[in-house]
Amino acid sequence: RDRSPNGAIDDAFCLRDKPEWRTRPNVHLDLHPWNFAAPRDVLPTEDLTFDALRDFSRETNAVSSATGPHCQGVVALMDNRAEDGGTVLVPGFHAAFARWRDALGDPTRYAENHEDWDKNRLVWRGAGAGSFKFGANDGVHRLKTRVPMREGSYLIWDQRVAHGSAPNASDRPRMAQFVKGFLRFGAGAARLKRRAARIEVELARAGTSGEVSALGARVFGLDAV
């Protein structure tokens, strides 16, 4: 809000350009490339308590091919034009994922804790989970494709597909909801019950418990409680 010279409050909002807030161009994988091939018991997924909301993020980063396929996606809550910034994908990367990972060599080369955006780096998320950030100089950036979306559309991709975002170059905001999907039989019953209980808590807190349809309850796993 702005205050006028006479002290009155003007309810009109002002838009200000904040270049320092703009998303940096990026491409990444929300998984640990080397541990993706590991047996499921190597990863901490079944031990997540969901006492903290951060555990839903850890669940995303601690995936194994043994419990796949795994997918990610985004729902556009308003029209997202090319110039509005948003999702980029590297089409077909999942098909080359295993060869790309093997060509990387020793994972310790990428595990150094640093903030150099020019270099590839493995971000350790604890107990076998992680994510891989492609450096700005990596050739993968030449292969990425910007994906504009219409309001209400849903974009879905294999979690092995390198993806990221492009900065917003317009005067419009971007509104989207990110989604993670996995097979029900790939998760233990105890884990499903804990995550469902936490989702119910958050639905009640938001006052939306009664708005979940039967299909929504199935998709969210609420029937596991």
Side-chain angles (χ1 to χ4, degrees), residues 14-32:
C14 295
L15 292 177
R16 296 181 179 176
D17 188 20
K18 303 288 286 187
E20 65 273 20
W21 291 1
R22 188 169 294 141
T23 299
R24 299 178 70 165
N26 68 89
V27 175
H28 61 272
L29 287 162
D30 291 310
L31 52 77
H32 189 303

Side-chain angles (χ1 to χ4, degrees), residues 16-111:
R16 296 181 179 176
D17 188 20
K18 303 288 286 187
E20 65 273 20
W21 291 1
R22 188 169 294 141
T23 299
R24 299 178 70 165
N26 68 89
V27 175
H28 61 272
L29 287 162
D30 291 310
L31 52 77
H32 189 303
W34 291 269
N35 286 349
F36 184 74
R40 58 185 298 172
D41 57 2
V42 170
L43 300 171
T45 321
E46 296 305 319
D47 298 327
L48 295 173
T49 64
F50 299 99
D51 291 337
L53 288 175
R54 182 66 178 170
D55 279 355
F56 287 95
S57 178
R58 294 189 179 98
E59 184 179 56
T60 298
N61 293 130
V63 293
S64 165
S65 59
T67 57
H70 295 273
C71 67
Q72 293 176 279
V74 59
V75 179
L77 302 181
M78 62 182 292
D79 286 345
N80 178 235
R81 306 169 305 175
E83 62 268 33
D84 296 332
T87 304
V88 299
L89 296 175
V90 180
F93 193 85
H94 64 296
F97 173 83
R99 298 193 306 275
W100 164 81
R101 178 199 59 218
D102 293 343
L104 288 175
D106 187 350
T108 60
R109 294 173 51 198
Y110 308 93

Side-chain angles (χ1 to χ4, degrees), residues 30-205:
D30 291 310
L31 52 77
H32 189 303
W34 291 269
N35 286 349
F36 184 74
R40 58 185 298 172
D41 57 2
V42 170
L43 300 171
T45 321
E46 296 305 319
D47 298 327
L48 295 173
T49 64
F50 299 99
D51 291 337
L53 288 175
R54 182 66 178 170
D55 279 355
F56 287 95
S57 178
R58 294 189 179 98
E59 184 179 56
T60 298
N61 293 130
V63 293
S64 165
S65 59
T67 57
H70 295 273
C71 67
Q72 293 176 279
V74 59
V75 179
L77 302 181
M78 62 182 292
D79 286 345
N80 178 235
R81 306 169 305 175
E83 62 268 33
D84 296 332
T87 304
V88 299
L89 296 175
V90 180
F93 193 85
H94 64 296
F97 173 83
R99 298 193 306 275
W100 164 81
R101 178 199 59 218
D102 293 343
L104 288 175
D106 187 350
T108 60
R109 294 173 51 198
Y110 308 93
E112 179 185 356
N113 185 20
H114 66 79
E115 293 298 327
D116 188 344
W117 282 65
D118 290 337
K119 298 180 179 179
N120 291 344
R121 62 196 187 281
L122 175 66
V123 181
W124 182 249
R125 306 293 186 187
S131 60
F132 191 90
K133 311 291 185 181
F134 290 86
N137 296 328
D138 194 289
V140 73
H141 290 276
R142 296 193 297 272
L143 304 175
K144 64 188 180 185
T145 299
R146 173 76 178 91
V147 187
M149 299 175 65
R150 292 181 177 177
E151 179 179 343
S153 58
Y154 177 40
L155 175 66
I156 185 171
W157 61 88
D158 187 298
Q159 195 163 338
R160 294 170 297 172
V161 170
H163 61 281
S165 59
N168 191 337
S170 76
D171 59 357
R172 288 161 43 98
R174 177 196 183 201
M175 295 180 62
Q177 175 63 56
F178 294 95
V179 179
K180 161 68 180 149
F182 57 90
L183 294 176
R184 180 179 294 250
F185 66 74
R191 169 183 151 204
L192 290 176
K193 288 182 178 180
R194 292 192 298 271
R195 77 189 310 277
R198 182 56 190 261
I199 291 173
E200 288 193 331
V201 168
E202 295 304 318
L203 288 171
R205 181 174 295 160

